[in-house]
Amino acid sequence: EDQVTQSPEALRLQEGESSSLNCSYTVSGLRGLFWYRQDPGKGPEFLFTLYSAGEEKEKERLKATLTKKESFLHITAPKPEDSATYLCAVPYSGYALNFGKGTSLLVTP
Amino acid sequence: DSGVTQTPKHLITATGQRVTLRCSPRSGDLSVYWYQQSLDQGLQFLIQYYNGEERAKGNILERFSAQQFPDLHSELNLSSLELGDSALYFCASSAQGGGETQYFGPGTRLLVL
C-alpha cells in the first residue's frame, strides 16, 4: 500500500534558525509529490509540486527537493509567520491525494 | 483565496441527523474531491467526481454520499450522523482530475452533539 510518512511530527525553531522537514514515500510510479501549508482551522494552501528526482522548487524562504524515496522542505531563516502545519502528499487511486500526517512547525521570535 | 468556496463554514447538529455540505470549484475546474480531517486521522480522501461522474472512492462510509451537478458544484450528504463524524470537511478542485494540483476550499467544520 502506498504510504507517506512525515518527520518530525513537531518542530520548534527560533526565528532565523534554518531547518528541514522530511517526507518519505513508498509508491509505485510517482506521479508527483505535493507540498501544502495548513494554518489551524483553514484549508491546505498549495506550495509546490515536484515530479522527478533531482527537481527543486523555491518560494521565498522555502525550498522543496525530491529524491527517489523522499522529499525535503528546507526552511531558511524562518519567521514567526512561517508557523503552520506542512503537509506532503502523493496521488493514488483516481489521482486523489494520499497525505502524510504533517509536521507542525512553530517559529518563535 | 484558492477560488474554491464551501458552505456552510460551521455546522452543529445532533446524532442521527442528516446534513448537506456544498462546494463550488474554481472556475474551469472539472474535478472535485472531498476530504475529511479529524485530529487523529489527518486528511483522508472520501470521494472524487469528474465532470459529473464519480471517478474514485476512498474511505467513504455508506452513510455518506456525494454528487456533482451540471454546473459542476458538488454536495456531500452525511446521514445518520454519529459523534465520530465531527471533523473538518474539505473540498478541493483540479482542472482535469489527472494528477495536477488540487486547490482546497476553506472547509466546513461539523460538530455532532
Side-chain angles (χ1 to χ4, degrees):
Chain A
E1 181 181 313
D2 297 344
Q3 287 198 352
V4 181
T5 304
Q6 291 188 247
S7 63
E9 287 186 16
L11 181 62
R12 183 180 180 126
L13 299 173
Q14 290 270 7
E15 184 171 2
E17 180 186 1
S18 301
S19 188
S20 296
L21 314 182
N22 177 266
C23 171
S24 63
Y25 60 91
T26 55
V27 61
S28 53
L30 184 68
R31 295 181 299 234
L33 184 138
F34 297 81
W35 282 99
Y36 288 83
R37 168 194 169 125
Q38 186 175 27
D39 292 302
K42 300 200 172 178
E45 174 190 346
F46 171 71
L47 293 174
F48 305 108
T49 308
L50 302 166
Y51 287 103
S52 55
E55 189 175 358
E56 298 183 353
K57 288 193 176 172
E58 287 189 63
K59 180 180 178 179
E60 297 181 357
R61 295 176 292 282
L62 300 177
K63 182 168 82 171
T65 62
L66 182 66
T67 72
K68 288 187 178 178
K69 300 214 170 164
E70 57 191 353
S71 177
F72 293 93
L73 185 65
H74 307 278
I75 304 177
T76 302
K79 297 183 177 182
E81 52 261 43
D82 294 322
S83 298
T85 296
Y86 291 86
L87 301 164
C88 74
V90 296
Y92 68 124
S93 169
Y95 297 97
L97 292 175
N98 184 10
F99 281 88
K101 293 193 182 297
T103 293
S104 177
L105 174 66
L106 176 64
V107 182
T108 58
Chain B
D1 185 356
S2 67
V4 179
T5 60
Q6 290 187 248
T7 56
K9 290 185 179 179
H10 304 277
L11 205 47
I12 302 175
T13 188
T15 54
Q17 295 299 304
R18 173 190 166 95
V19 297
T20 298
L21 283 54
R22 182 188 170 102
C23 167
S24 293
R26 294 188 322 156
S27 177
D29 284 358
L30 298 178
S31 201
V32 168
Y33 312 76
W34 286 97
Y35 293 85
Q36 179 192 56
Q37 187 175 40
S38 56
L39 282 174
D40 55 342
Q41 292 292 327
L43 263 168
Q44 299 283 316
F45 166 65
L46 296 178
I47 196 163
Q48 177 196 4
Y49 279 82
Y50 172 74
N51 203 21
E53 299 290 328
E54 182 184 305
R55 174 167 276 192
K57 269 187 173 179
N59 301 319
I60 189 166
L61 300 172
E62 286 193 11
R63 301 183 285 108
F64 296 0
S65 65
Q67 54 185 328
Q68 186 179 28
F69 295 87
D71 67 353
L72 300 177
H73 91 272
S74 177
E75 293 181 355
L76 178 67
N77 300 296
L78 315 177
S79 61
S80 302
L81 285 167
E82 301 175 359
L83 295 178
D85 297 327
S86 296
L88 272 165
Y89 291 84
F90 291 105
C91 165
S93 74
S94 69
Q96 295 290 330
E100 68 280 2
T101 299
Q102 295 179 26
Y103 295 90
F104 282 76
T108 292
R109 182 178 293 278
L110 174 66
L111 181 59
V112 182
L113 300 175

